[in-house]
Amino acid sequence: MKARASLLLCLLAFPATAQQILSVVETGGDNEPTDTIVAQWTGQTFPVSVAGEPTPESSVGENHTVGTFGDRAPAFVDRNHRYINSTSALNPPDPPVDIPPYLLDRPYIMAGNDNRDNANYRIDVTVDRAARVYLLIDNRLSDGNNADPPTFGPVAMAWILEENWAPMATGSNRLGDTALPDELAIDEGANDDIQQWYSVYYKDVAAGVFSLRQPDNAGRNMYGVVVGPLPAITDPIQVFGAQPPAIAFGEKAVLNWQIDAGATVATIDNGIGDVKPRTNASGAGSIEVSPTATTAYTLTVNTPGGNETATVTVTLKLLASFTATPGA
């Protein structure tokens, strides 16, 4: 199943061929007296409020402009931690593990590391076209073990599994193992020394709004976000998702899709029917739904080169909220 959601991210000075992040809206973040910088992204400029953050050279009052992702790119707005090629480090592993090429020179988001333990944290990102989004997640999630991939669970970023994020596995890790996620080195002191490792997970999304949720990573590091183009795809259906994937009774979800622009047929079942009129010239489209029960929606697309179906489920929550008041 190609369940894919959408992203929320201001026009940047990128070439027309580069992925454009339109806006980033952060909620549930920390609001510290001395460091109130919200999430920033490539092309954005913000004033430095703490010396040495986000780079060791940063001075209070000067401006920092977020560049693209790469060797020594600062990871957070409120630390001087940075991503680093292991070949740039003083103590590189053997064999070396450099930043995977699919991440290089891509737009990315810098959040606050202090948000790593905020249960209500959320980033809504908007992109102007279908994209592949990469999440960079601290290996120590849940089990504290830096030597293997993060361990997801009920209180450890369970939404990664629920929303069908997948490991990016090209063998770019310390073991050279294509069965494990790719890894990135983290230089926490900005002194060319490697202290931590992140694993890479990805999800393909349609143009529009996409939500990222709580890190569940107290005492460790906040996740990173990199946005890249979709790989070359010839499939009739490239992205089909629902945002949000679970709703309360009476609420609405949005079905999003990215299909072959040359499709001759594009339909969704459960009473929706023909969605070609809702699909633009580049193959992107969306529609609101408000099911009264958990419903699986199947998109069927026919093209001159082949046909395909994909299914996404909108889950109806049994209980939207519950509160209790002590008796008098």
Side-chain angles (χ1 to χ4, degrees):
M1 181 180 73
K2 296 185 177 180
R4 299 291 184 263
S6 322
L7 260 222
L8 175 62
L9 296 159
C10 180
L11 285 176
L12 308 179
F14 279 101
T17 56
Q19 174 65 43
Q20 305 264 339
I21 296 177
L22 300 181
S23 68
V24 176
V25 178
E26 176 187 277
T27 54
D30 283 336
N31 187 21
E32 303 172 77
T34 60
D35 196 357
T36 58
I37 302 171
V38 297
Q40 303 291 324
W41 66 101
T42 297
Q44 298 298 291
T45 298
F46 62 94
V48 173
S49 59
V50 176
E53 299 174 0
T55 68
E57 301 80 22
S58 299
S59 299
V60 175
E62 72 177 17
N63 288 329
H64 178 86
T65 299
V66 185
T68 54
F69 196 84
D71 186 32
R72 296 186 173 91
F76 309 113
V77 294
D78 61 349
R79 297 289 193 280
N80 62 12
H81 299 7
R82 60 190 183 185
Y83 306 99
I84 189 171
N85 284 331
S86 66
T87 51
S88 298
L90 299 174
N91 57 344
D94 186 20
V97 181
D98 281 353
I99 294 172
Y102 53 80
L103 297 176
L104 294 174
D105 300 318
R106 304 300 185 195
Y108 79 109
I109 300 172
M110 295 170 57
N113 201 27
D114 283 342
N115 295 320
R116 62 201 175 193
D117 56 356
N118 290 14
N120 296 322
Y121 187 76
R122 173 170 165 160
I123 308 177
D124 292 319
V125 187
T126 302
V127 289
D128 68 351
R129 67 199 73 176
R132 175 158 288 185
V133 180
Y134 302 93
L135 273 189
L136 319 176
I137 303 174
D138 194 321
N139 277 358
R140 298 172 296 169
L141 177 72
S142 188
D143 61 7
N145 187 353
N146 205 7
D148 60 19
T151 301
F152 302 108
V155 291
M157 294 181 73
W159 56 276
I160 293 294
L161 304 179
E162 294 167 358
E163 298 180 9
N164 300 307
W165 290 81
M168 191 71 185
T170 68
S172 182
N173 53 53
R174 286 169 288 174
L175 297 177
D177 189 344
T178 56
L180 297 174
D182 295 347
E183 291 184 308
L184 294 102
I186 302 296
D187 173 11
E188 291 188 332
N191 57 3
D192 293 340
D193 195 14
I194 297 173
Q195 288 83 25
Q196 308 300 341
W197 290 86
Y198 276 20
S199 288
V200 184
Y201 292 77
Y202 79 95
K203 186 175 183 178
D204 294 341
V205 303
V209 180
F210 178 83
S211 299
L212 304 172
R213 295 195 270 149
Q214 72 272 17
D216 289 328
N217 220 1
R220 287 134 197 175
N221 284 326
M222 177 68 184
Y223 56 71
V225 186
V226 180
V227 178
L230 284 177
I233 296 176
T234 57
D235 292 343
I237 300 173
Q238 296 152 25
V239 176
F240 184 45
Q243 179 64 27
I247 60 173
F249 185 83
E251 292 181 343
K252 295 180 179 179
V254 177
L255 303 182
N256 300 275
W257 58 87
Q258 181 74 41
I259 63 175
D260 188 320
T264 56
V265 173
T267 63
I268 298 178
D269 63 357
N270 281 304
I272 296 176
D274 184 12
V275 294
K276 280 200 68 182
R278 292 181 170 273
T279 305
N280 64 24
S282 64
S286 65
I287 190 171
E288 283 189 339
V289 295
S290 185
T292 57
T294 295
T295 302
Y297 295 92
T298 298
L299 170 65
T300 300
V301 174
N302 297 349
T303 73
N307 306 328
E308 188 175 12
T309 63
T311 300
V312 65
T313 299
V314 176
T315 301
L316 193 69
K317 301 175 186 176
L318 295 179
L319 185 65
S321 63
F322 178 78
T323 59
T325 303

